[in-house]
């Protein structure tokens, strides 16, 4: 399947179904501690991708190969390129509700993995991936898009791999991630988050601390992870991306981004300008 043109690059999503993206990265980068909220399938077109999970598992995919990632985990990525080339991949992200499909759930028993490389991608999987991407890109009816993503999931089962996602989590950090991730541009503070989650500010802080997190750390991490995805998967200017994750000042955003990832936002697209 031919990848979309640069002019068409955007993140296409249907709530309750999933999302599709065409990722470009202009240089080799190591990206540490990225939280993967939902299960994903990545088809690598150029360069190579390595994923390291928090359990110490390392998986690697070359062009024409794929990586499957389970949801609800934090991983390290390395997107590597040859001299003068770039990294390119296509993503499908699956809403965890799809994993509750009764037939799929029965077939997936014992096959779920945190990360797995698919070194031989069947033509059927490639074709199904294309149809699912088309459904999301063209906003087909959700019921149709759901069936197309389920087809991809069943082709993965044929390769011996099932998607995985955590059970509905009771931990407050996941709830905060979901809340802020849906609207990263909002002016979030402890009072607003506590109100949205129907807890007191003291309870919010205490539960986050018990999980080794703070609201400030989570807010920055969610916003920067969202910005990274937008830099890779869209052609939006850095200044627009800064606004979309809650920063009116592009320079302040660039400082935060570099503090989080160790490189400037523009490095993702292959150059080193600060703004």
């Amino acid at each position: 399947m031919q990848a979309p043109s640069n002019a068409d690059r955007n993140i296409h999503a249907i709530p309750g179904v999933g999302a599709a993206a065409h990722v470009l990265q202009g240089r080799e980068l190591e990206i540490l501690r990225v939280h993967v909220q939902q299960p994903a399938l990545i088809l690598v077109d150029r360069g190579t991708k390595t994923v390291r999970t928090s359990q110490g598992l390392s998986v690697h995919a070359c062009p024409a190969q794929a990586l499957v990632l389970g949801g609800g985990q934090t991983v390290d990525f390395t997107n590597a390129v040859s001299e003068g080339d770039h990294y390119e991949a296509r993503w499908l992200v699956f809403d965890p509700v799809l994993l509750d499909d009764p037939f799929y759930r029965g077939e997936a028993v014992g096959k779920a993995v945190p990360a797995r490389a698919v070194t031989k991608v069947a033509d059927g999987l490639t074709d199904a991936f294309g149809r699912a991407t088309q459904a999301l890109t063209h906003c087909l009816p959700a019921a149709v898009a759901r069936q197309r993503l389920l087809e991809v999931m069943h082709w993965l089962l044929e390769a011996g791999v099932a998607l995985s996602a955590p059970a509905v989590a009771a931990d407050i950090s996941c709830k905060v991630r979901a809340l802020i991730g849906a609207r990263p541009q909002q002016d979030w503070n402890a009072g607003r988050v506590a109100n949205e989650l129907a807890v007191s500010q003291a309870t919010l802080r205490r539960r986050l601390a018990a999980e080794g997190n703070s609201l400030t750390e989570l807010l920055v991490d969610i916003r920067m992870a969202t910005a990274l995805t937008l830099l890779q998967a869209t052609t939006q200017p850095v200044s627009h991306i800064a606004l979309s994750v809650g920063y009116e000042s592009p320079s302040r955003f660039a400082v935060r981004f570099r503090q989080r990832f160790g490189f400037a936002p523009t490095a993702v697209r292959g150059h080193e300008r600060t703004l």
Side-chain angles (χ1 to χ4, degrees), residues 18 21 47 86 94 97-98 122 134 144 152 159 161 186 221 237 248 265:
H86 65 273
F94 302 80
V97 71
L98 296 179
Q134 183 184 51
V144 175
V152 174
V161 184
Q186 295 284 342
D221 191 64
E248 294 185 1

Side-chain angles (χ1 to χ4, degrees), residues 54-186:
S54 58
Q55 294 82 20
L57 176 66
S58 181
V59 294
H60 180 80
C62 298
Q65 298 180 345
L67 282 176
V68 178
L69 292 178
Q73 62 177 327
T74 299
V75 302
D76 298 337
F77 290 111
T78 300
N79 296 333
V81 299
S82 301
E83 185 68 29
D85 205 351
H86 65 273
Y87 170 83
E88 185 170 358
R90 287 165 284 147
W91 284 64
L92 274 180
V93 177
F94 302 80
D95 193 293
V97 71
L98 296 179
L99 279 63
D100 288 331
D101 177 83
F103 184 77
Y104 178 81
R105 190 170 61 234
E107 295 294 309
V109 173
K111 297 179 181 179
V113 293
R116 175 77 63 83
V118 181
T119 56
K120 293 184 179 180
V121 179
D123 290 343
L125 175 56
T126 301
D127 293 342
F129 188 103
R131 287 189 290 271
T133 299
Q134 183 184 51
L136 294 165
T137 301
H138 296 288
C139 290
L140 296 187
V144 175
R146 173 188 171 89
Q147 292 306 312
R148 292 194 180 180
L149 267 74
L150 279 168
E151 182 185 3
V152 174
M153 293 163 59
H154 281 283
W155 274 108
L156 285 173
L157 285 179
E158 292 295 315
V161 184
L163 300 178
S164 65
V168 177
D171 66 63
I172 198 78
S173 299
C174 285
K175 295 178 181 178
V176 171
R177 283 187 180 278
L179 176 65
I180 296 175
R183 292 171 285 163
Q185 76 283 3
Q186 295 284 342

Side-chain angles (χ1 to χ4, degrees), residues 4-275:
S5 68
N6 197 52
D8 295 333
R9 288 178 58 236
N10 209 330
I11 299 169
H12 303 278
I14 295 178
V17 179
H22 171 211
V23 168
L24 291 177
Q25 188 174 299
R27 51 171 284 192
E28 181 171 327
L29 294 172
E30 184 180 33
I31 304 167
L32 303 177
R33 302 183 312 282
V34 176
H35 186 78
V36 179
Q37 187 74 12
Q38 298 181 330
L41 171 62
I42 307 162
L43 295 186
V44 177
D45 293 317
R46 302 173 73 94
T48 58
K49 186 177 196 74
T50 301
V51 174
R52 295 172 298 279
T53 71
S54 58
Q55 294 82 20
L57 176 66
S58 181
V59 294
H60 180 80
C62 298
Q65 298 180 345
L67 282 176
V68 178
L69 292 178
Q73 62 177 327
T74 299
V75 302
D76 298 337
F77 290 111
T78 300
N79 296 333
V81 299
S82 301
E83 185 68 29
D85 205 351
H86 65 273
Y87 170 83
E88 185 170 358
R90 287 165 284 147
W91 284 64
L92 274 180
V93 177
F94 302 80
D95 193 293
V97 71
L98 296 179
L99 279 63
D100 288 331
D101 177 83
F103 184 77
Y104 178 81
R105 190 170 61 234
E107 295 294 309
V109 173
K111 297 179 181 179
V113 293
R116 175 77 63 83
V118 181
T119 56
K120 293 184 179 180
V121 179
D123 290 343
L125 175 56
T126 301
D127 293 342
F129 188 103
R131 287 189 290 271
T133 299
Q134 183 184 51
L136 294 165
T137 301
H138 296 288
C139 290
L140 296 187
V144 175
R146 173 188 171 89
Q147 292 306 312
R148 292 194 180 180
L149 267 74
L150 279 168
E151 182 185 3
V152 174
M153 293 163 59
H154 281 283
W155 274 108
L156 285 173
L157 285 179
E158 292 295 315
V161 184
L163 300 178
S164 65
V168 177
D171 66 63
I172 198 78
S173 299
C174 285
K175 295 178 181 178
V176 171
R177 283 187 180 278
L179 176 65
I180 296 175
R183 292 171 285 163
Q185 76 283 3
Q186 295 284 342
D187 182 19
W188 293 105
N189 55 45
R192 186 168 192 168
V193 172
N195 184 62
E196 292 267 3
L197 297 179
V199 298
S200 69
Q201 292 187 46
T203 297
L204 174 66
R205 292 192 180 96
R206 182 175 65 254
R207 290 177 62 184
L208 284 174
E211 295 166 9
N213 286 314
S214 73
L215 181 59
T216 299
E217 291 169 346
L218 281 176
L219 178 59
V220 171
D221 191 64
I222 296 160
R223 285 175 164 173
M224 293 305 104
T226 301
L228 175 66
T229 299
L230 292 172
L231 286 163
Q232 292 177 317
T234 77
T235 56
Q236 294 180 32
V238 174
S239 57
H240 290 188
I241 291 173
L243 284 172
S244 71
V245 296
Y247 288 82
E248 294 185 1
S249 166
S251 59
R252 186 175 173 217
F253 162 73
V255 169
R256 283 285 193 186
F257 190 92
R258 186 185 286 275
Q259 288 173 340
R260 170 60 180 86
F261 292 114
F263 48 83
T266 50
V268 176
R269 293 174 175 171
H271 50 92
E272 291 286 1
R273 289 186 301 108
T274 304
L275 299 177

